[in-house]
Amino acid sequence: MSEKSQLTATPTTRKLQIAIALSSVIFTIGTTLQNFVIINTSFIETMMRIENIADPTGAAPSFTIWFRIVGCLYILGNAIGILALRSQSRLLWWTVFTVNITQAFGFVLIPSSMWSAATATYGVWGILPSLITDGGAIVLVLVMILSMVKYRSPWAQHRLSQ
């Protein structure tokens, strides 16, 4: 027979929940700003011109729609992390982890022309939401990994053998 274990909260559990929820609020706001204030068809056309795309005017509208769909998925994914204030479910832990580890790759996956276009169009304010969400996601994922290593369970909980 396998031995089942029960998880119990530690003093770090609540701190981790608050950190995840607060990060999720910040990332939801940042992603929303990026998706609906910074990004628009004109901005995407500028980005495509920097990339020397043949027909930026023709290609930008559909690219903008797909970019925003992905952004909306991240807005939803980040907003789900706010539930960390009330829940310690494994599903929530791994959802938050997955959303943030993929968001952390934004620096690599987003074309460099987007950063150039954002800086040229809006100055530092054009890249700030992405820097905060992508950079913050890296930090949050590292905190989550360290917590998993230290406690060998999600949510900084101790295992009690039964």
Side-chain angles (χ1 to χ4, degrees), residues 87-138:
S87 175
Q88 296 172 15
S89 84
R90 281 182 159 313
L91 178 60
L92 179 59
W93 175 270
W94 290 110
T95 300
V96 169
F97 186 83
T98 302
V99 167
N100 282 283
I101 201 161
T102 59
Q103 189 161 292
F105 283 104
F107 291 117
V108 178
L109 297 176
I110 294 173
S112 62
S113 58
M114 197 228 43
W115 305 108
S116 301
T119 304
T121 306
Y122 302 104
V124 72
W125 297 107
I127 61 171
L128 196 57
S130 280
L131 288 175
I132 291 169
T133 57
D134 298 357
I138 292 168

Side-chain angles (χ1 to χ4, degrees), residues 19-152:
I20 288 172
L22 182 59
S23 296
S24 296
V25 168
I26 293 167
F27 300 164
T28 300
I29 292 167
T31 305
T32 301
L33 287 172
Q34 186 70 27
N35 207 37
F36 295 107
V37 176
I38 305 295
I39 302 299
N40 57 45
T41 304
S42 172
F43 175 85
I44 297 297
E45 285 179 25
T46 301
M47 183 183 89
M48 290 180 160
R49 281 189 188 89
I50 292 170
E51 286 285 325
N52 294 317
I53 302 296
D55 181 20
T57 306
S62 65
F63 185 90
T64 304
I65 289 169
W66 285 107
F67 193 92
R68 284 190 169 158
I69 288 170
V70 171
C72 286
L73 292 173
Y74 276 97
I75 291 167
L76 178 61
N78 284 312
I80 287 170
I82 299 167
L83 297 173
L85 285 176
R86 299 261 186 230
S87 175
Q88 296 172 15
S89 84
R90 281 182 159 313
L91 178 60
L92 179 59
W93 175 270
W94 290 110
T95 300
V96 169
F97 186 83
T98 302
V99 167
N100 282 283
I101 201 161
T102 59
Q103 189 161 292
F105 283 104
F107 291 117
V108 178
L109 297 176
I110 294 173
S112 62
S113 58
M114 197 228 43
W115 305 108
S116 301
T119 304
T121 306
Y122 302 104
V124 72
W125 297 107
I127 61 171
L128 196 57
S130 280
L131 288 175
I132 291 169
T133 57
D134 298 357
I138 292 168
V139 172
L140 184 58
V141 164
L142 290 174
V143 167
M144 292 176 80
I145 289 170
L146 291 172
S147 170
M148 286 284 289
V149 168
K150 181 176 180 179
Y151 293 95
R152 296 184 182 179

